[in-house]
Amino acid sequence: MSIKIIQGDITKLKVDAIVNAANPSLLGGGGVDGAIHKAAGPKLLEECKTLGGANPGDAKITHGYNLPSLWVIHTPGPIWHGGDKGEEEILKRSYENSMCIARSYHLKSIAFPSISTGVYGYPIEKASVVALNSVNWFLKNCAYYEMEVIFVLHSKKDFDVYIKNAKLLGIEYEL
Ligand code: AR6
């Protein structure tokens, strides 16, 4: 079981699955969602149309089409409303449900962007703690084969926050 933290563009990664910070329609949008649809090509949207959307915290899987990754796991995170509207629980479920789908497909390498911390406004300091704790907990308690999780941060600032909080939480990671 391992956790990697890197800075980069998630659409470039040759992994088993990348996770998409989607919206409940699952029909594309801006940010990382837009970048993933652009890189995957129009067949991704065609498949997404068959999924019937997803509630915040749930996750659904599609093929990766023109992406280097084989699969895309789509999960709408919570919109930040100040922190007292169940945002933390929903964000945790986005990570855990994505990991559950990855496990059910026996995927070995899964890359996550920083869900909800762009358009959805979840503060990166708080969101990174939820992301790191949820995935670390899943790897320790629920993974029954070797799984590698890569946190892919688009900006150096977000990367630095993840590294700082991984250290504070005592979570082992590689670069
Ligand atoms: N690789 C890795 N991370 C990226 C990339 C990339 N290519 N592009 C952006 N990010 P956001 P959300 C980072 O806004 O907050 C969409 O319209 C970005 O810097 O993409 O969950 C959806 O359709 C940020 O840190 O997702 C929804 O409507 C992080 O990805 C809504 O945005 C997440 O930012 C979802 O908002």
Side-chain angles (χ1 to χ4, degrees):
M1 311 301 162
S2 69
I3 290 179
K4 258 193 192 165
I5 304 174
I6 65 170
Q7 190 190 343
D9 177 351
I10 203 166
T11 66
K12 306 281 190 239
L13 293 196
K14 195 168 163 36
V15 285
D16 290 341
I18 61 172
V19 175
N20 181 14
N23 61 65
S25 78
L26 301 183
L27 298 178
V32 71
D33 195 2
I36 288 171
H37 274 271
K38 190 167 173 225
K43 285 188 178 162
L44 178 61
L45 181 59
E46 287 311 306
E47 186 175 356
C48 284
K49 284 179 184 166
T50 69
L51 299 176
N55 291 319
D58 289 348
K60 294 189 176 176
I61 191 165
T62 63
H63 293 89
Y65 299 100
N66 296 339
L67 286 161
S69 65
L70 280 175
W71 301 93
V72 181
I73 297 169
H74 306 263
T75 181
I79 298 174
W80 180 256
H81 291 292
D84 56 2
K85 297 280 188 297
E87 293 95 328
E88 183 175 338
E89 189 56 31
I90 296 170
L91 188 60
K92 194 171 145 219
R93 291 187 58 244
S94 277
Y95 283 97
E96 288 175 3
N97 284 326
S98 297
M99 290 299 292
C100 278
I101 291 201
R103 185 184 59 184
S104 68
Y105 278 66
H106 217 77
L107 307 185
K108 297 191 173 68
S109 50
I110 305 104
F112 281 95
S114 180
I115 299 167
S116 283
T117 65
V119 175
Y120 279 1
Y122 205 123
I124 183 80
E125 275 287 350
K126 291 184 178 16
S128 58
V129 170
V130 176
L132 288 160
N133 274 337
S134 309
V135 166
N136 190 51
W137 178 86
F138 188 98
L139 290 175
K140 289 220 153 46
N141 297 289
C142 308
Y144 50 80
Y145 62 91
E146 198 60 37
M147 295 177 98
E148 178 186 53
V149 172
I150 308 164
F151 290 107
V152 188
L153 291 316
H154 213 209
S155 70
K156 173 76 165 66
K157 190 177 133 281
D158 290 353
F159 171 81
D160 289 343
V161 172
Y162 265 68
I163 297 290
K164 183 194 74 173
N165 284 331
K167 284 182 180 148
L168 277 175
L169 296 166
I171 291 174
E172 282 176 41
Y173 65 90
E174 295 162 19
L175 293 172

